[in-house]
Amino acid sequence: MRPPRYDMDFRGHGNRQAVSVRQMHLPMTDDEAINILAERGFEVIDVDLLATARSAIGSTYRRGARLREAPSVFDCSSLMKWLYRHRGIDLPRRAIQQFRFGQGIEPDQPPIMGDLLFTKGWINRYESDPNQGIGHVVFATGEGTVIHASNKTRGVVEDPVSEMLDRRELCGIRRLFTPDDRVLTLRCPPEREIESADDIRWIILSALG
């Protein structure tokens, strides 16, 4: 029998790694798995993704902003990459690449906190079809607004979803996880080389002998 597919093999950043214990399909409870990790030096840390996003409001916008300039300077996709790194998820750099991540959500569904909305922009990058280009990405608050690096005049702002979509054409919505997935952010011990959530899974399984 083939093992169940692990759908949330997030790549972490630095000493932070996001993991959904439930999605690992382990032969134990979530709490038992977390206890095994704690015994091996891993620490579950609380990350308020919405508060982190709002802390960037007022930052400067510049197209092509470098990640080392965060949180002072962003473009739309570097803001998403910087934001999700706090959660232990290392997204790709460009919006067209970020669009490959997560689960597609129907446009008539209200976005929840953490969803990424992709729209047309001044420059639309595409894989093969110019009509499917993406030029902008924003972060949904789950409160009827989005946070995004808008332009050089406005910088990073929080806008009503309706107003943003009046100005831009929606290309799609991606959901990286839901509250039911119980995605944890781990602070990893320095002696461990962790590249992705699947490494965490094997650490837990190895403890079973």
Side-chain angles (χ1 to χ4, degrees):
M1 179 184 298
R2 296 182 63 184
R5 179 172 173 263
Y6 180 38
D7 293 322
M8 292 186 176
D9 188 19
F10 300 120
R11 293 191 65 85
H13 173 69
N15 69 343
R16 294 192 179 194
Q17 176 64 60
V19 61
S20 172
V21 180
R22 190 167 303 151
Q23 284 283 327
M24 289 183 177
H25 308 288
L26 297 167
M28 64 186 71
T29 67
D30 290 3
D31 289 340
E32 288 170 337
I34 292 168
N35 287 337
I36 289 173
L37 292 172
E39 290 169 357
R40 283 152 181 78
F42 292 84
E43 178 188 0
V44 177
I45 59 175
D46 183 37
V47 178
D48 189 331
L49 202 59
L50 179 54
T52 304
R54 283 181 167 148
S55 75
I57 292 174
S59 297
T60 300
Y61 169 92
R62 192 181 70 249
R63 183 183 298 165
R66 298 179 182 274
L67 284 168
R68 64 172 179 262
E69 298 176 284
S72 298
V73 183
F74 293 106
D75 63 13
C76 67
S77 55
S78 73
L79 174 59
M80 303 306 132
K81 187 174 179 71
W82 171 83
L83 177 58
Y84 267 95
R85 277 184 169 183
H86 286 77
R87 197 68 164 85
I89 301 173
D90 196 19
L91 294 176
R93 175 61 181 84
R94 298 183 184 279
I96 186 68
Q97 297 168 321
Q98 294 173 0
F99 188 63
R100 302 175 190 147
F101 277 66
Q103 174 188 0
I105 302 300
E106 293 298 324
D108 60 347
Q109 295 185 32
I112 66 172
M113 194 278 291
D115 284 355
L116 301 183
L117 281 64
F118 296 83
T119 70
K120 299 294 184 184
W122 296 110
I123 298 177
N124 296 307
R125 301 187 184 277
Y126 58 91
E127 300 285 356
S128 57
D129 184 351
N131 294 319
Q132 297 179 353
I134 290 171
H136 194 59
V137 58
V138 307
F139 174 88
T141 67
E143 300 173 358
T145 60
V146 294
I147 296 170
H148 60 131
S150 178
N151 55 45
K152 63 182 180 180
T153 301
R154 305 179 70 221
V156 177
V157 295
E158 183 169 353
D159 284 331
V161 177
S162 57
E163 288 185 11
M164 192 271 298
L165 293 180
D166 284 343
R167 298 191 299 267
R168 300 175 183 268
E169 178 185 348
L170 181 67
C171 300
I173 304 172
R174 307 298 292 185
R175 181 167 296 165
L176 275 69
F177 53 83
T178 70
D180 292 339
D181 293 320
R182 198 187 176 192
V183 173
L184 308 175
T185 300
L186 299 175
R187 181 180 288 119
C188 306
E191 66 272 15
R192 295 280 188 175
E193 292 187 3
I194 305 298
E195 293 186 357
S196 73
D198 196 48
D199 292 335
I200 302 295
R201 178 174 183 267
W202 286 107
I203 288 171
I204 296 170
L205 290 174
S206 297
L208 301 180

